[in-house]
Amino acid sequence: MPVPSSSDTPQRRWRIALVAHDHCKADLVEWSLHNRDVLARHDLLATGTTGGLISEALELPVECLRSGPLGGDLQIGSRITEGLVDLLVFFWDPLEPQPHDPDVKALLRIAVVWNLPVACNRASADFLISSPLLHSGYAPLRPDHEANPRGASRPSSPIGAAPS
């Protein structure tokens, strides 16, 4: 399937979720500052503390959900299942145990289940934010888990599209 060029399709606003564990927050804020111009063209949401830091640093609106350990990761996961998040940037700390590790695993799992682009570190975030697909009308395909509940390898609709 050919990828539309930015001249074929107008740029769309992505709904970008930003999450970072404590030891990674400064790195995500720095990355966000470096990419402020791109992020400003999209809708941002984040877990509580991370969202507050990013909103203050970027002077941009960020919808702040609960802190990760208080259910923020689960809130973002819920939004993913509803088609209300298009891209997840989650700087997580693989060397530090988290009290909410099951929630972290659930968030990453649900992002994969719904075919969401995910960046788990600065390098992968750089690739996603600079992708020509982000700057075109591209929409990842959303699996139809009702029609194929055993693992939809055949996506049916773009993320954010109303279910049929």
Side-chain angles (χ1 to χ4, degrees):
M1 174 168 143
V3 175
S5 73
S6 56
S7 62
D8 295 337
T9 312
Q11 180 178 351
R12 69 184 194 94
R13 289 185 71 85
W14 287 64
R15 295 161 297 191
I16 301 173
L18 303 164
V19 183
H21 285 158
D22 288 344
H23 291 101
C24 302
K25 288 186 191 316
D27 196 28
L28 183 58
V29 169
E30 182 181 301
W31 177 85
S32 298
L33 280 166
H34 181 76
N35 292 289
R36 185 194 186 284
D37 292 343
V38 174
L39 293 172
R41 295 190 298 259
H42 302 283
D43 299 319
L44 308 177
L45 70 145
T47 49
T49 308
T50 301
L53 293 169
I54 291 171
S55 180
E56 183 178 325
L58 273 57
E59 298 179 343
L60 291 174
V62 176
E63 181 183 356
C64 295
L65 304 175
R66 296 211 181 269
S67 172
L70 299 178
D73 295 338
L74 295 174
Q75 286 180 300
I76 289 178
S78 175
R79 299 232 180 146
I80 290 169
T81 67
E82 296 167 4
L84 300 176
V85 173
D86 301 310
L87 188 147
L88 173 63
V89 177
F90 185 179
F91 286 14
W92 61 280
D93 187 347
L95 301 177
E96 188 73 28
Q98 302 295 322
H100 61 298
D101 271 338
D103 298 350
V104 171
K105 183 177 180 183
L107 175 57
L108 293 170
R109 178 187 165 280
I110 211 69
V112 171
V113 165
W114 289 103
N115 195 37
L116 201 77
V118 179
C120 291
N121 58 35
R122 193 167 185 146
S124 58
D126 287 341
F127 270 86
L128 284 180
I129 202 80
S130 63
S131 170
L133 297 177
L134 185 71
H135 309 288
S136 72
Y138 174 81
L141 294 178
R142 190 171 170 82
D144 184 353
H145 291 293
E146 289 183 25
N148 185 7
R150 290 293 304 159
S153 59
R154 302 186 63 128
S156 65
S157 64
I159 289 178
S164 47

